[in-house]
Amino acid sequence: MMGSEAKGGEERILPATRRPDGTMRKAVRIRAGYVAQEEVAIYQSKGALFKKDAPLVPPGYDPETDLIKPKTKAAKKNEKRKEKKQQAKLGSTTTEPGDSLSQKLDALQVSSEPCETTKQGEISQEGNQSVTDTGKSELEKRIRALKKRSG
């Protein structure tokens, strides 16, 4: 250690030092053969050492051959089935009866003109047909139903 003086080759003495607050520390005498706790190696069992040195893959396993694994007949057959299901699914989604309704909803335009409400609950606008509350609620129900189907 730094600052230690050898005495006869066996004992070491650490000289007295001054603390930051001005007080003095005593000189420390270290006996022969003593190893400080910080310098002692941590004990590891044989099992821990074996695990540390063991390879990450099992013996005889070659990861390169696993990547080039050929497909079996069953795997190829399952892959074809999945493709057919996807194609059938795509074909059926284009002919849904709700598509015409969703296209109509997309074609609807919202005007920025203010609406006038009559006493009977009808909404009237210039140039547009009047719609009753029941017709409006029915349209809202259809919109919700379509959103449930698509979402």
Side-chain angles (χ1 to χ4, degrees):
M1 293 187 153
M2 289 183 68
S4 64
E5 299 176 15
K7 182 179 181 185
E10 295 182 9
E11 280 189 9
R12 294 184 309 188
I13 298 177
L14 296 175
T17 57
R18 185 171 300 279
R19 295 186 182 108
D21 64 352
T23 59
M24 291 294 291
R25 274 189 199 99
K26 290 183 182 178
V28 179
R29 197 176 94 200
I30 301 173
R31 295 186 183 190
Y34 174 77
V35 180
Q37 191 68 28
E38 297 87 29
E39 296 173 10
V40 176
I42 298 173
Y43 173 76
Q44 291 182 341
S45 66
K46 290 181 183 179
L49 291 173
F50 181 73
K51 283 184 179 179
K52 190 176 184 181
D53 295 336
L56 297 175
V57 294
Y61 176 72
D62 188 14
E64 293 177 8
T65 57
D66 192 33
L67 296 175
I68 310 172
K69 186 176 176 182
K71 292 184 180 179
T72 61
K73 285 184 179 181
K76 290 178 184 177
K77 193 174 184 181
N78 288 338
E79 199 172 281
K80 287 181 183 179
R81 284 182 185 169
K82 284 182 183 178
E83 288 176 7
K84 285 182 182 179
K85 281 184 180 179
Q86 287 177 352
Q87 289 176 355
K89 196 174 190 180
L90 291 175
S92 68
T93 57
T94 57
T95 59
E96 280 190 20
D99 282 343
S100 61
L101 184 60
S102 64
Q103 289 173 355
K104 289 178 184 177
L105 289 175
D106 291 338
L108 287 178
Q109 296 180 356
V110 179
S111 65
S112 61
E113 298 175 9
C115 298
E116 296 178 13
T117 308
T118 62
K119 290 181 182 178
Q120 298 174 354
E122 296 180 348
I123 300 173
S124 62
Q125 289 182 340
E126 295 177 15
N128 291 343
Q129 296 178 352
S130 62
V131 179
T132 63
D133 284 338
T134 56
K136 185 178 178 183
S137 63
E138 184 180 345
L139 181 62
E140 289 176 357
K141 287 180 184 177
R142 286 185 182 178
I143 290 172
R144 275 188 252 129
L146 283 175
K147 285 182 181 178
K148 285 182 182 177
R149 282 188 200 168
S150 63

